[in-house]
Amino acid sequence: MTENTQTNSAEYIPALKKIRKRRLYLWFVILAYLPAMMVALESPDYKTWVTVVFVTWIVFLIFTVALACLARCPRCGECFHTHGPTFLPFRRCLHCALHVNADKRAPEEDPPNAKYTNKK
Ligand SMILES: [Zn+2]
């Protein structure tokens, strides 16, 4: 069982890297709002720049949320952060509870939903 889990963890590495990268983009866009808005407010033509920064930020936010929503779990094949219409950027898959760092962690002794571990 442990050997099988380790093999699966190695197979999950590319997909989990992709999920982590998309999560990083999302948090970067969210955190970029405040400094970008502060720079825009310092501008002499601040009304225009605040509008430009806000619209640009919204476009980036929609794009990065969509990328994070569409990331597929390597274990169960479902959307990692989406359950129905709900987007929840938790660190575990919302369907099979695979951790986003499962490839870096020790194999789980008793995965929450072992029924997914052999699904291809
Ligand atoms: Zn999953």
Side-chain angles (χ1 to χ4, degrees):
M1 183 66 191
T2 304
E3 187 177 314
N4 187 27
T5 306
Q6 285 174 334
T7 304
N8 286 343
S9 290
E11 292 173 3
Y12 300 160
I13 289 173
L16 289 174
K17 275 186 178 174
K18 192 161 106 181
I19 292 168
R20 285 194 296 268
K21 195 183 292 181
R22 289 180 180 193
R23 289 171 54 90
L24 188 67
Y25 292 155
L26 175 64
W27 291 118
F28 176 77
V29 168
I30 290 170
L31 295 176
Y33 180 79
L34 186 62
M37 197 54 83
M38 288 172 76
V39 169
L41 287 169
E42 291 293 320
S43 167
D45 188 17
Y46 69 92
K47 287 183 181 174
T48 303
W49 282 108
V50 164
T51 306
V52 168
V53 166
F54 182 73
V55 170
T56 306
W57 181 78
I58 284 289
V59 169
F60 274 103
L61 185 66
I62 291 169
F63 182 70
T64 52
V65 166
L67 280 179
C69 281
L70 298 175
R72 293 276 173 182
C73 173
R75 181 155 72 182
C76 69
E78 299 288 337
C79 292
F80 197 88
H81 294 300
T82 311
H83 198 278
T86 310
F87 172 65
L88 297 168
F90 292 153
R91 296 178 63 81
R92 286 190 177 271
C93 173
L94 295 177
H95 304 274
C96 70
L98 179 68
H99 196 275
V100 74
N101 289 330
D103 55 337
K104 297 177 178 178
R105 301 169 123 205
E108 294 170 296
E109 285 293 320
D110 185 24
N113 285 329
K115 66 182 177 179
Y116 290 113
T117 55
N118 293 328
K119 188 175 177 183
K120 193 69 182 178

